[in-house]
Amino acid sequence: MTEYLPLSGADPRPAPPSPDGASDFKLDESIGFLIYRAQLLMKKELARQFRPHDITPEQWAVLNRLWECDGQTQRQLADRTFKDQPTMARICRRLEEKGLVVRRPCPDDGRASLVNLSAEARTLIPELIPRAVRTLQKALAGIDPVEAAIARKVMGRVFENLG
């Protein structure tokens, strides 16, 4: 298994232990910071991949969730993409302006809207999926599939622990 290498300029020597553990903490070795950096880089690469189609990574997440299960409420989409309600409303409004989703009143709840993919989105998403796959392949290049599976399992546990 490949060992994590510190960022250039980082001191590879271990810090002397401290009674409270404070001097043991190194941001560049923190799993939370590493996840954050990986997320930023993934988002940047997705944005680059989707730029020719004028789709943001956040819009992709909504389109993808609707591709999996069309006709969700904005609340469901917010929950399934880990966004707050105002952000989801903005994303849906922008996708609607682009002609990629249609919002209709929910028959069970007059206050809610159901969001559906448009015919244009159904044509676009199969073009976007290979771009997302390429991004994942690039991110996982040189990583053993067993290690990738372990990483997914560990991330699942982190989500359970904090969610």
Side-chain angles (χ1 to χ4, degrees), residues 27 55 58 88-89 113:
L27 185 62
I55 297 295
E58 293 80 11
M88 183 52 57
S113 295

Side-chain angles (χ1 to χ4, degrees), residues 91-131:
I91 293 169
C92 287
R93 183 174 57 251
R94 186 69 180 117
L95 287 171
E96 192 172 40
E97 289 167 0
K98 291 179 178 187
L100 298 175
V101 300
V102 177
R103 291 188 289 178
R104 295 186 178 101
C106 179
D108 301 331
D109 180 355
R111 299 169 296 162
S113 295
L114 286 179
V115 184
N116 290 90
L117 292 172
S118 70
E120 185 178 342
R122 291 182 187 287
T123 302
L124 176 63
I125 292 171
E127 294 178 36
L128 296 176
I129 290 172
R131 292 171 180 271

Side-chain angles (χ1 to χ4, degrees), residues 143-155:
I143 298 174
D144 183 280
V146 172
E147 289 177 316
I150 291 168
R152 280 190 291 277
K153 185 175 180 178
V154 169
M155 292 289 70

Side-chain angles (χ1 to χ4, degrees), residues 12-30:
R13 296 171 295 169
S18 68
D20 63 0
S23 67
D24 298 336
F25 180 81
K26 290 187 168 63
L27 185 62
D28 290 332
E29 295 174 7
S30 162

